[in-house]
Amino acid sequence: MADNNKRNAGFLGSIATAPSTDEFIKGLWRDNPVFVQVLGMCPVLAVSNTAENALAMGLATTFVLLMSNILVSSLRNFIPKQVRIASYILIIATFVTIIDYVIQAISIELHKSLGAFISLIVVNCLILSRAEAFASKNTIGKSILDALGMGVGFTFALFCLGAVRELLGNGSLFDYSLFPANFQNWIVMILPAGGFFTLAIWLLLFNSMKKKE
Amino acid sequence: MLSKTLHISTSPHITKGVSTDSIMRNVVYALLPVVFFAVYSFGLSAFLVIITSTVACVFTEHYLCKLSKKESTISDWSAVITGLLLGLTLPPIFPLWMAFCGGVIAIALGKYIFGGLGYNVFNPALVGRAVLQASFPVAITTWYPSFLPERFSNIPSSTLAFPFMEPDLDAMSGATPLSAFKFDQVSTATNDLALGLISGSTGETCALLILLGGIYLIARNMMNWRIPVAVLGSAFVLSGIFYLIDSQAYPSPLFMLFSGGLMLGAVFMATDMVASPLTPLGVWIYGAVIGLLTIIIRLWGGLPEGVMYAILLANALSPHIDKMTQSRVYGTTKSKVST
Amino acid sequence: MNESKSIPVSSSASSGKMLQAMVGIGVLCALLIVLTYEGTFDRIEQNKAVALEQAIFKVLPGITQTEAYQFNENNAFSLLDSENTDREIIYAGFDSNDQLVGVAITTSGQGYADILRILYGYDIEKEAIIGIHVLESKETPGLGDKIEKDANFLENFKALDVSLNENKSELNNTVVTVKNGTKQNPWEVDGITGATISSRAIGDMLGLSTKRWVPLVFKNKDSFKIQKVEE
């Protein structure tokens, strides 16, 4: 873990000179959790088959990220170093359980389509990495900005994938049909393979855009 | 990217002094009888499908070379082969716009993204077909009877489906021998299979012409004969075992060999020089994996045909097979490796 | 801001402090979870009940109320009591005159990708299946999931014959899926091209389930009654 910590610190250290108002923006673009850090690939590939699922997953993850960052940051002087990972996981798991209940209360249908992936937010390395690399060393205010930035960045990326996959795979966006009725669906796009294709193409676009900057 | 003068020295079956384009040109010659028979038996629509996929492949190759500011490599004929092979694996009434997409995907995703000819991990034509199969499963499994009297004057409506629109496939469909066996337990006479008097993909019907093309290439030392022998042999043995156990439930080994795309796959696709292993032992293993997987998928898989997935899987394995067989050969008979 | 500085806790924390931290966080988390659970429990139960009820109303068109019945060891049905949760459950549907319309039965079987679970409605008077609803399915989107969406396929289940023979002990014909376009008899299910395996699975499941349940339900049709006295 120590090595990992160092690497994280080195990676993030390079952007440490940015002013604190930048905490929010960095998650959206420069350090986008999906397109730059390539974290949390399991939900990104699995639950991005429709725009609605992608958005719901992104918002659920943002909620967990935000709450865990707040709690970790406020308890950062109370948690001894030796048990910090166990504590973070406990905190993250709590909020995942909470969001699981909340989604069931909102809509059973949505809960069914997100399936096991809600519980798997626990092991989304994005959340643990923000707790370990940011919230445990920064004030609550900064941690909230960081969580919101990363969460919105994650949601944005998921939505990018979900929108393309639903558009090609189902001819619709948020279940609203955009093409003539006899549009030929590219079924591969809603299948897992389509997730890989779409992610690869977005990464290609994102990297070429960053290169030009 | 291989230049025109660079010799392929990686595959053991190629003698020095033979250039990439002359091999590729000969493969095209070997494919031509199959193409002609496809057009003869399925008519105009098969011709259009094959032409479209070939044009798409050549166009994509040319355009991608331009895009990456490299010299166009279409003159090495490899894009033509990919296009022909892709066209031959598609059903004759396949919508042309889908065939075009398949060609673009085959070259862009199957070949160019890895660095072009000589670097592709998988057989590009099969990558194109796999994506088409996953995208348009209904269109790609809707077959058409061969030798219809009006086949040269009439183009089925699905062929000319408007781009990105669903084709009208209900018109007329014939079951392939494999799907007839899988879903309705009806066997087809081996004679009809060998001569191609059946329904199926454009190029997978006449097994004898495919064998002829293979023999031509083997005779000219432009194809590794071990691969088709290993594929067909292992498929024959495995299906033979099951046939002996229960001849009612399992089809005869000859039926297995001559039906579906096994012949085309074994002769023209499994032998892709870039995506197959290099060592002699590795080639045998590679061929056997394809043959066995094909039979396993056909007998117990959800789909009636499994050649495509078998070859793609074996392609993925081939670097590992190379590594595995090479080290063993190094320890014992070193001379074999240097061929 | 400097993220690379070490974690601001002394590295030699005592065991007591660690224990304190873990227990403290544990208690806090448990409290949060229990609060959420309590807060959402009613809503979730209600959602689940509504979802099931909607499915029952869908497969038994024309009913206005429904009751759950359990199947007892003595081959008879009785109103569901919450103690015997291991019993098989079927749902009876009644119209606005408290008359029994039919029953909704769940059944499951192997589909193409995974186990399929469906609910179907059996109309006792028409002796036919009058609707199905897929409860659980992981079938391939665009292909296997046509069993839920394909209008022609669902048309099969508006009046699928499951009539009984003369002494009401067995079905006249077993429900079976046939190749697309070849349906000739009212007990046949017209399959879907491109979803052969999934549509066959539905036919097979219905065949097995109706063979067992329809004679039982028919024999015991008088035990399904609106019982307003029991509260």
Side-chain angles (χ1 to χ4, degrees):
Chain A
M1 200 57 223
D3 273 354
N4 207 6
N5 194 12
K6 247 179 228 163
R7 205 183 61 215
N8 262 341
F11 170 63
L12 294 166
S14 61
I15 49 106
T17 47
S20 59
T21 45
D22 200 41
E23 301 301 355
F24 179 71
I25 310 292
K26 73 170 192 282
L28 286 181
W29 186 257
R30 200 181 52 239
D31 278 348
N32 187 294
V34 174
F35 294 144
V36 178
Q37 302 188 57
V38 201
L39 287 176
M41 283 302 104
C42 165
V44 169
L45 291 167
V47 224
S48 61
N49 50 356
T50 66
E52 189 188 343
N53 282 356
L55 210 59
M57 187 68 195
L59 291 178
T61 309
T62 307
F63 169 80
V64 175
L65 189 56
L66 180 66
M67 299 312 280
S68 73
N69 256 17
I70 291 174
L71 205 59
V72 167
S73 172
S74 54
L75 295 176
R76 67 186 189 279
N77 294 320
F78 172 68
I79 302 171
K81 189 178 162 193
Q82 291 90 333
V83 293
R84 67 184 193 284
I85 300 294
S87 313
Y88 300 161
I89 291 289
L90 200 59
I91 291 169
I92 295 167
T94 303
F95 289 111
V96 171
T97 314
I98 288 173
I99 195 78
D100 192 47
Y101 285 132
V102 170
I103 290 180
Q104 277 190 63
I106 295 171
S107 159
I108 294 278
E109 203 57 27
L110 183 63
H111 188 262
K112 233 169 97 184
S113 64
L114 294 178
F117 294 100
I118 298 176
S119 323
L120 285 177
I121 297 176
V122 173
V123 290
N124 190 331
C125 40
L126 168 66
I127 296 169
L128 187 61
S129 86
R130 291 334 285 168
E132 166 79 7
F134 197 94
S136 64
K137 298 162 197 163
N138 287 286
T139 58
I140 298 180
K142 275 185 180 176
S143 298
I144 290 176
L145 282 177
D146 175 75
L148 284 176
M150 286 292 165
V152 173
F154 186 75
T155 311
F156 164 72
L158 263 170
F159 177 74
C160 285
L161 263 84
V164 170
R165 291 179 67 186
E166 187 181 343
L167 206 59
L168 281 174
N170 202 27
S172 62
L173 201 60
F174 290 108
D175 270 344
Y176 180 76
S177 243
L178 293 179
F179 296 113
N182 61 344
F183 176 74
Q184 171 72 51
N185 296 335
W186 291 62
I187 288 161
V188 69
M189 299 308 279
I190 2 180
L191 298 177
F196 285 94
F197 287 150
T198 322
L199 178 66
I201 289 164
W202 274 115
L203 282 175
L204 189 86
L205 284 176
F206 210 85
N207 278 329
S208 72
M209 272 193 288
K210 283 196 73 152
K211 226 174 179 178
K212 274 182 194 152
E213 258 176 24
Chain B
M1 194 69 35
L2 291 179
S3 73
K4 275 168 79 176
T5 50
L6 185 63
H7 303 151
I8 291 185
S9 53
T10 44
S11 293
H13 50 282
I14 298 168
T15 52
K16 286 183 177 175
V18 180
S19 65
T20 310
D21 16 339
S22 89
I23 294 176
M24 295 298 173
R25 215 170 44 239
N26 275 291
V27 177
V28 175
Y29 294 158
L31 275 171
L32 280 180
V34 186
V35 173
F36 284 136
F37 185 80
V39 175
Y40 171 64
S41 58
F42 291 109
L44 216 50
S45 56
F47 175 74
L48 289 176
V49 166
I50 295 171
I51 287 292
T52 308
S53 64
T54 311
V55 167
C57 284
V58 174
F59 165 82
T60 312
E61 173 119 351
H62 184 74
Y63 182 72
L64 284 177
C65 285
K66 282 267 133 63
L67 194 74
S68 53
K69 299 187 180 70
K70 280 176 186 160
E71 199 187 330
S72 177
T73 48
I74 50 170
S75 56
D76 69 9
W77 290 87
S78 63
V80 177
I81 296 179
T82 301
L84 287 179
L85 283 176
L86 177 66
L88 289 173
T89 58
L90 298 174
I93 51 165
F94 201 61
L96 295 183
W97 73 264
M98 290 183 188
F100 193 88
C101 290
V104 173
I105 291 164
I107 294 294
L109 206 65
K111 186 166 147 195
Y112 212 84
I113 217 162
F114 295 103
L117 181 65
Y119 300 97
N120 49 305
V121 182
F122 301 101
N123 182 318
L126 287 180
V127 172
R129 192 185 193 277
V131 174
L132 288 180
Q133 165 102 51
S135 300
F136 315 117
V138 177
I140 211 164
T141 49
T142 304
W143 311 101
Y144 200 59
S146 54
F147 294 107
L148 288 178
E150 72 273 22
R151 64 187 185 275
F152 290 112
S153 53
N154 184 23
I155 298 173
S157 66
S158 63
T159 305
L160 299 176
F162 194 78
F164 300 104
M165 292 299 143
E166 215 165 343
D168 174 27
L169 289 163
D170 293 333
M172 199 175 189
S173 61
T176 66
L178 274 175
S179 56
F181 190 86
K182 178 135 200 143
F183 298 121
D184 303 308
Q185 280 76 44
V186 177
S187 201
T188 312
T190 312
N191 268 354
D192 290 352
L193 292 173
L195 295 175
L197 308 173
I198 44 162
S199 171
S201 296
T202 52
E204 66 183 25
T205 56
C206 186
L208 290 183
L209 283 176
I210 297 169
L211 277 180
L212 208 68
I215 290 167
Y216 168 76
L217 286 176
I218 290 167
R220 298 214 55 180
N221 212 8
M222 287 172 171
M223 176 192 283
N224 192 341
W225 59 272
R226 294 177 188 90
I227 295 176
V229 170
V231 174
L232 299 174
S234 60
F236 186 83
V237 170
L238 184 67
S239 53
I241 292 172
F242 284 106
Y243 186 64
L244 286 179
I245 293 173
D246 185 354
S247 62
Q248 290 301 308
Y250 298 105
S252 81
L254 276 179
F255 173 82
M256 277 300 196
L257 283 197
F258 285 104
S259 61
L262 184 58
M263 211 46 97
L264 188 71
V267 175
F268 286 108
M269 293 178 182
T271 50
D272 187 303
M273 287 162 188
V274 191
S276 56
L278 309 173
T279 61
L281 178 64
V283 166
W284 285 113
I285 297 175
Y286 166 83
V289 166
I290 296 177
L292 299 180
L293 274 177
T294 304
I295 300 298
I296 290 171
I297 296 175
R298 279 184 184 179
L299 290 181
W300 297 290
L303 294 164
E305 179 57 299
V307 177
M308 173 179 77
Y309 295 116
I311 295 176
L312 286 173
L313 274 168
N315 281 166
L317 283 179
S318 65
H320 304 286
I321 295 176
D322 261 345
K323 216 173 173 184
M324 207 173 68
T325 50
Q326 208 161 23
S327 60
R328 216 160 78 197
V329 175
Y330 261 124
T332 50
T333 49
K334 202 174 176 181
S335 58
K336 271 189 184 173
V337 184
S338 55
T339 32
Chain C
M1 169 204 118
N2 181 6
E3 286 184 276
S4 57
K5 77 181 173 195
S6 66
I7 290 158
V9 175
S10 70
S11 57
S12 57
S14 69
S15 318
K17 210 173 168 194
M18 281 190 241
L19 197 69
Q20 200 186 343
M22 289 304 290
V23 170
I25 292 172
V27 169
L28 182 69
C29 289
L31 205 68
L32 280 171
I33 292 180
V34 169
L35 277 176
T36 323
Y37 179 77
E38 286 297 325
T40 55
F41 181 80
D42 291 340
R43 191 67 203 278
I44 292 173
E45 286 300 302
Q46 194 191 335
N47 277 352
K48 280 184 178 163
V50 166
L52 181 67
E53 197 158 276
Q54 273 174 350
I56 295 170
F57 275 72
K58 197 182 142 202
V59 298
L60 289 172
I63 63 168
T64 54
Q65 48 194 321
T66 164
E67 292 280 359
Y69 285 81
Q70 63 186 23
F71 183 59
N72 294 321
E73 281 144 4
N74 58 358
N75 275 1
F77 295 92
S78 67
L79 265 182
L80 182 68
D81 74 70
S82 46
E83 278 163 32
N84 289 313
T85 45
D86 56 331
R87 299 277 161 81
E88 288 170 285
I89 298 171
I90 71 170
Y91 306 92
F94 305 91
D95 63 15
S96 48
N97 303 325
D98 291 353
Q99 289 302 306
L100 179 65
V101 174
V103 292
I105 303 168
T106 55
T107 176
S108 56
Q110 177 67 42
Y112 179 75
D114 202 347
I115 300 289
L116 274 169
R117 260 186 76 225
I118 62 168
L119 184 78
Y120 66 90
Y122 165 59
D123 187 314
I124 291 176
E125 199 173 314
K126 290 183 194 155
E127 296 199 48
I129 291 177
I130 53 170
I132 67 164
H133 175 76
V134 179
L135 295 170
E136 249 171 65
S137 145
K138 295 197 176 69
E139 303 299 272
T140 323
L143 278 183
D145 74 347
K146 279 189 188 164
I147 53 169
E148 292 176 64
K149 292 169 187 161
D150 191 289
N152 287 331
F153 184 66
L154 294 175
E155 191 70 26
N156 285 311
F157 307 105
K158 289 208 170 142
L160 187 67
D161 177 70
V162 284
S163 56
L164 292 162
N165 61 4
E166 274 172 26
N167 52 21
K168 305 290 176 197
S169 59
E170 264 180 58
L171 292 183
N172 279 330
N173 305 288
T174 307
V175 172
V176 66
T177 304
V178 297
K179 218 174 143 187
N180 181 273
T182 58
K183 172 169 174 155
Q184 278 166 344
N185 302 306
W187 62 86
E188 286 172 343
V189 176
D190 202 359
I192 310 174
T193 319
T196 317
I197 294 171
S198 308
S199 53
R200 272 184 194 204
I202 297 279
D204 293 346
M205 281 154 60
L206 286 178
L208 279 175
S209 175
T210 49
K211 206 173 190 170
R212 174 172 171 222
W213 286 109
V214 166
L216 277 172
V217 169
F218 196 87
K219 200 172 80 188
N220 294 303
K221 63 180 170 183
D222 294 331
S223 52
F224 303 107
K225 269 194 199 115
I226 290 279
Q227 284 151 322
K228 288 200 170 126
V229 270
E230 284 189 32
E231 279 297 305

